[in-house]
Amino acid sequence: LHPPVLTVGVGCERGTDPAELAALIADCLAESGLAAGAIAAIGSLDLKMDEPAVHRAAATLNAPLRFFDAAALEAEFHRLQNPSEIVFQETGCHGVAEGAALVLAGPDTALVVTKRKSKRATCAIARAAAPINRELAGRPRGSLAVIGIGPGSDAWRSPEATALVDQAEIVVGYGLYIDLLGALVPVEKRR
């Protein structure tokens, strides 16, 4: 039994092989004697929201994945062990892996694995004193559904389209068509 007290921050170049990032995380855990089962979450910069290696790592470890903008990671600057001007020039923050691990773990935490690099990826691990709540900071990757509302009455709209509109946080479209959805799209969901 491993309480969820670890957070893993990762960064990588575009198109990094998922196996490379997975191996780097596994090496960091093994060399530090840390259990993968103790990982509460994996985090990265929001610029990596579409990076397959990052998503594969989270899926492999069965850990939630959260993303942060550069300002949130830069707020951890004072706690970084390996700040980088090069990373700052590229991303707007001085450390992706360390910053993400720290912000996910919370304010009274520390890095247990400082930034480690492979050829195209970075990894850092932070540990919290107590189990980390699953109501994590950051945001998960969103999704987009493109639907047609049909040519006529509500009865002609597919149940799948109705369900997607109902579940959406935001509905964007031609005003008249959104109006035709009526009560299905409350004002606060309309854009």
Side-chain angles (χ1 to χ4, degrees), residues 54-79:
V54 174
H55 287 276
R56 178 88 52 85
T60 299
L61 292 166
N62 194 29
L65 179 57
R66 294 294 184 267
F67 296 96
F68 301 90
D69 62 23
L73 298 185
E74 186 63 13
E76 299 298 324
F77 177 79
H78 66 285
R79 299 199 301 156

Side-chain angles (χ1 to χ4, degrees), residues 52-186:
V54 174
H55 287 276
R56 178 88 52 85
T60 299
L61 292 166
N62 194 29
L65 179 57
R66 294 294 184 267
F67 296 96
F68 301 90
D69 62 23
L73 298 185
E74 186 63 13
E76 299 298 324
F77 177 79
H78 66 285
R79 299 199 301 156
L80 300 180
Q81 298 298 308
N82 298 287
S84 168
E85 257 329 292
I86 294 170
V87 172
F88 181 75
Q89 295 301 319
E90 294 291 322
T91 66
C93 63
H94 282 87
V96 172
E98 288 183 348
L102 288 166
V103 76
L104 267 173
D108 298 321
T109 58
L111 292 170
V112 291
V113 176
T114 59
K115 180 172 72 175
R116 290 268 320 274
K117 294 186 206 180
S118 64
K119 184 176 179 184
R120 301 183 70 200
T122 59
C123 175
I125 303 174
R127 180 186 353 235
I132 296 170
N133 184 335
R134 289 293 181 158
E135 294 297 320
L136 299 166
R139 64 181 185 270
R141 183 177 182 181
S143 63
L144 172 69
V146 178
I147 64 160
I149 63 167
S153 72
D154 293 351
W156 293 0
R157 184 172 48 247
S158 75
E160 293 84 4
T162 299
L164 287 168
V165 171
D166 188 46
Q167 294 165 5
E169 292 178 26
I170 298 171
V171 177
V172 179
Y174 180 57
L176 174 63
Y177 295 154
I178 292 176
D179 290 344
L180 290 173
L181 291 169
L184 188 59
V185 184

